[in-house]
Amino acid sequence: DAGITQSPRHKVTETGTPVTLRCHQTENHRYMYWYRQDPGHGLRLIHYSYGVKDTDKGEVSDGYSVSRSKTEDFLLTLESATSSQTSVYFCAISGGIGQGAIGSYEQYFGPGTRLTVT
Amino acid sequence: DQQVKQNSPSLSVQEGRISILNCDYTNSMFDYFLWYKKYPAEGPTFLISISSIKDKNEDGRFTVFLNKSAKHLSLHIVPSQPGDSAVYFCAASASGTYKYIFGTGTRLKVLA
């Protein structure tokens, strides 16, 4: 199993408060991703990173920001949480050395963080 | 506009029979496809992948077929086992983008 941990695993917060979720990897993979999973929507990409300090937006990036100051950590921040951000959040990694053909990599997912905004 | 579609939200199959899960895509730039399995309260687990240079890839009981002209892929599980009961997601990527678009998932139930 890829070494990916997410913290916290569960969080309940109030509308308007800031929230930061952490993803930590021990695999030295280049790419890191944040997804949210909601019923009827599958997994939707929020932001991803292709290297330290290099990030880009995904499909549903509004209301979220990310930071990656070192290879192993990728942080997702909700500046002011809203009830629509209640979801399960998954971190994923890909792009390890020797993994897949050039331009194509499998992704490996963390265990998820269940966030409830009340 | 959903670029990756799994039109069957659920599927029930008898143990020992074949399970066929389908996925359609619209973006002709996609050239790498993956299937994931997800159990409740866990992260998705990578199952099998296929690149557009192939039309079939097999790994044990799992086979993925790709029909590029129809922009369609399918996952075959033979024989199906109760432990295969899970939600299955297909995902697609275009080379060099390292971004993955997921379908909405199909819940497979294998009946003992």
Side-chain angles (χ1 to χ4, degrees), chain A residues 9 31 33 35 37 40-43 45 48 56-59 90 94 100 102-112, chain B residues 2 31-32 34 36 38 41-46 49 51 87 89 91 93-105:
Chain A
R9 294 293 314 279
Y31 300 94
Y33 307 80
Y35 291 89
Q37 184 194 9
H41 291 279
L43 290 155
L45 181 65
Y48 73 106
D56 202 355
K57 296 180 180 179
E59 307 166 75
F90 289 101
S94 72
I102 293 174
S104 58
Y105 298 115
E106 292 84 34
Q107 282 187 317
Y108 299 94
F109 284 80
Chain B
Q2 191 129 21
D31 57 2
Y32 191 62
L34 309 92
Y36 287 84
K38 186 183 180 306
E42 295 183 10
T45 302
F46 170 73
S49 63
S51 75
V87 177
F89 291 99
S93 176
S95 288
T97 66
Y98 306 105
K99 288 168 63 171
Y100 300 80
I101 306 297
F102 281 76
T104 53

Side-chain angles (χ1 to χ4, degrees), chain B residues 52-78:
Chain B
S52 59
I53 63 173
K54 295 184 174 181
D55 53 18
K56 176 183 173 181
N57 190 25
E58 200 169 347
D59 184 0
R61 295 186 298 114
F62 301 92
T63 303
V64 56
F65 296 91
L66 175 62
N67 182 334
K68 291 184 288 294
S69 61
K71 294 191 177 68
H72 176 83
L73 62 154
S74 60
L75 175 69
H76 293 211
I77 306 174
V78 183

Side-chain angles (χ1 to χ4, degrees), chain A residues 36 38-45 59-60, chain B residues 1-8 22-28 30 71 88-92 100-106:
Chain A
R36 58 178 289 174
D38 304 288
H41 291 279
L43 290 155
R44 292 182 292 174
L45 181 65
E59 307 166 75
V60 289
Chain B
D1 181 34
Q2 191 129 21
Q3 298 185 67
V4 179
K5 300 178 185 177
Q6 293 178 257
N7 292 317
S8 298
N22 295 303
C23 180
D24 297 294
Y25 61 97
T26 58
N27 189 337
S28 58
F30 290 150
K71 294 191 177 68
Y88 289 78
F89 291 99
C90 66
Y100 300 80
I101 306 297
F102 281 76
T104 53
T106 296

Side-chain angles (χ1 to χ4, degrees), chain A residues 11-100:
Chain A
K11 186 168 182 68
V12 180
T13 191
E14 293 184 349
T15 298
T17 59
V19 177
T20 295
L21 309 183
R22 180 181 183 238
C23 177
H24 179 78
Q25 62 150 327
T26 58
E27 306 295 321
N28 200 34
H29 279 38
R30 179 180 176 186
Y31 300 94
M32 299 186 74
Y33 307 80
W34 277 107
Y35 291 89
R36 58 178 289 174
Q37 184 194 9
D38 304 288
H41 291 279
L43 290 155
R44 292 182 292 174
L45 181 65
I46 304 171
H47 282 280
Y48 73 106
S49 169
Y50 47 96
V52 173
K53 292 188 168 52
D54 293 321
T55 65
D56 202 355
K57 296 180 180 179
E59 307 166 75
V60 289
S61 58
D62 288 348
Y64 301 95
S65 63
V66 290
S67 66
R68 191 171 179 198
S69 59
K70 43 186 179 175
T71 300
E72 55 266 36
D73 288 327
F74 192 34
L75 304 180
L76 176 71
T77 298
L78 291 66
E79 301 290 348
S80 177
T82 68
S83 58
S84 65
Q85 294 176 312
T86 291
S87 186
V88 180
Y89 291 85
F90 289 101
C91 175
I93 65 175
S94 72
I97 294 172
Q99 181 194 32

